[in-house]
Amino acid sequence: MDALARLGSIAQAYGGVLTRSQILAAGVRNRDLAALVASGTVARIGRGVYAVGQQLPDPHRLSASWLATISFESAVAWHGVDLPAPLEQIHLTVPRRRGRYAEAVDGVRLHRADVAPSDVMVVRGARVTSPIRTSIDIARHAPIDHAVAIIDAFLRAGRYSEAEFRAAARQAQGPGRLRIQTVAELVDPASGSVLESLTRMLLWRHGLPRPVTQLSLRNRRTGWVGYLDFAWPEHRVALECDGYAFLSSG
């Protein structure tokens, strides 16, 4: 049984979500886990917490054989950045002028767009859209909550700064420009995980005031320092949302 099959059989008992310790205990090696994350088959959704999906085609092999660029959520995974959920399909982009490919390939979504050379990088031997280009593509087309979670993750990983993304958002043209501007206003580099980003978007959709994220608390006597996921200091209210502790006993 391969690594993904082992994880899938165990994850069924936990709603498709496993901790890193459970994954390693199942005999999955670190390099195998890294490969599953890079393909988007497994998504890191919290601190040491992973969601397990289905087997997908190899994005590197497809991009090479089709002379395509790994893009959208597949590019997020290939850059090693957290996704809100495992991918259901591989995303590849080819030039608009390119002849038709066999697009009816299970698990593959083919996009047609002209990508400037400056927007393409080679990562582990594969052509992939740059972090900024990937983020703008997702902000333009994806649901706002999903896009914010991914861009928060890029910021958390240090792939670009908030100022760089906001500048790219201001320069964006064409369909979806307003959506991109909205996403740029909602991102937060202090977000600690995908779950925190999605929770913050849930608060936003329900009209709650924007919270302070990762508010530090310090005990002057003991020197203890802690952090709150969300806080409204003026109301003396806080919210914690990392709720996967129950999995650690599995």
Side-chain angles (χ1 to χ4, degrees), residues 128-184:
V128 56
T129 51
S130 68
I132 284 288
R133 172 59 191 256
T134 302
S135 299
I136 292 297
D137 284 343
I138 289 173
R140 189 187 302 277
H141 296 287
I144 289 175
D145 309 59
H146 181 88
V148 168
I150 287 176
I151 293 158
D152 281 355
F154 268 115
L155 293 169
R156 187 164 58 250
R159 301 309 172 88
Y160 49 70
S161 68
E162 184 179 12
E164 288 172 323
F165 177 71
R166 289 183 183 275
R170 286 194 298 270
Q171 295 168 7
Q173 301 295 325
R177 186 174 185 275
L178 180 58
R179 178 187 296 268
I180 295 170
Q181 309 301 319
T182 300
V183 170

Side-chain angles (χ1 to χ4, degrees), residues 50-73:
Y50 298 80
V52 180
Q54 60 186 351
Q55 186 67 56
L56 294 172
D58 179 3
H60 188 181
R61 184 181 304 170
L62 278 175
S63 67
S65 62
W66 288 5
L67 301 179
T69 301
I70 300 173
S71 58
F72 288 83
E73 283 83 352

Side-chain angles (χ1 to χ4, degrees), residues 23-246:
I23 291 172
L24 297 179
V28 177
R29 297 171 295 182
N30 280 315
R31 67 180 183 181
D32 293 330
L33 176 59
L36 291 171
V37 171
S39 71
T41 300
V42 170
R44 180 181 179 272
I45 58 174
R47 301 179 184 95
V49 181
Y50 298 80
V52 180
Q54 60 186 351
Q55 186 67 56
L56 294 172
D58 179 3
H60 188 181
R61 184 181 304 170
L62 278 175
S63 67
S65 62
W66 288 5
L67 301 179
T69 301
I70 300 173
S71 58
F72 288 83
E73 283 83 352
S74 289
V76 177
W78 200 258
H79 281 295
V81 172
D82 298 342
L83 282 167
L87 298 184
E88 296 181 353
Q89 53 191 350
I90 296 297
H91 295 265
L92 300 174
T93 295
V94 296
R96 297 180 189 278
R97 67 181 182 280
R98 189 72 59 80
R100 293 186 62 81
Y101 287 85
E103 296 184 34
V105 176
D106 288 342
V108 178
R109 168 75 184 277
L110 194 63
H111 304 268
R112 294 185 178 276
D114 296 322
V115 182
S118 59
D119 288 337
V120 177
M121 303 171 61
V122 176
V123 178
R124 298 193 305 281
R127 284 172 49 88
V128 56
T129 51
S130 68
I132 284 288
R133 172 59 191 256
T134 302
S135 299
I136 292 297
D137 284 343
I138 289 173
R140 189 187 302 277
H141 296 287
I144 289 175
D145 309 59
H146 181 88
V148 168
I150 287 176
I151 293 158
D152 281 355
F154 268 115
L155 293 169
R156 187 164 58 250
R159 301 309 172 88
Y160 49 70
S161 68
E162 184 179 12
E164 288 172 323
F165 177 71
R166 289 183 183 275
R170 286 194 298 270
Q171 295 168 7
Q173 301 295 325
R177 186 174 185 275
L178 180 58
R179 178 187 296 268
I180 295 170
Q181 309 301 319
T182 300
V183 170
E185 291 300 317
L186 291 171
V187 297
D188 185 349
S191 176
S193 68
V194 166
L195 179 60
E196 289 182 21
S197 296
L198 295 177
T199 301
R200 197 178 74 251
M201 289 300 92
L202 184 63
L203 298 173
W204 169 71
R205 287 196 177 279
H206 284 80
L208 273 70
R210 187 161 184 164
V212 177
T213 52
Q214 301 300 318
L215 179 69
S216 63
L217 299 176
R218 181 184 298 273
N219 187 310
R220 295 180 181 177
R221 183 175 61 83
T222 65
W224 175 86
V225 178
Y227 296 89
L228 295 171
D229 291 341
F230 306 109
W232 294 265
E234 67 276 20
H235 301 296
R236 300 179 66 83
V237 172
L239 173 66
E240 290 289 301
C241 69
D242 286 340
Y244 291 106
F246 74 95

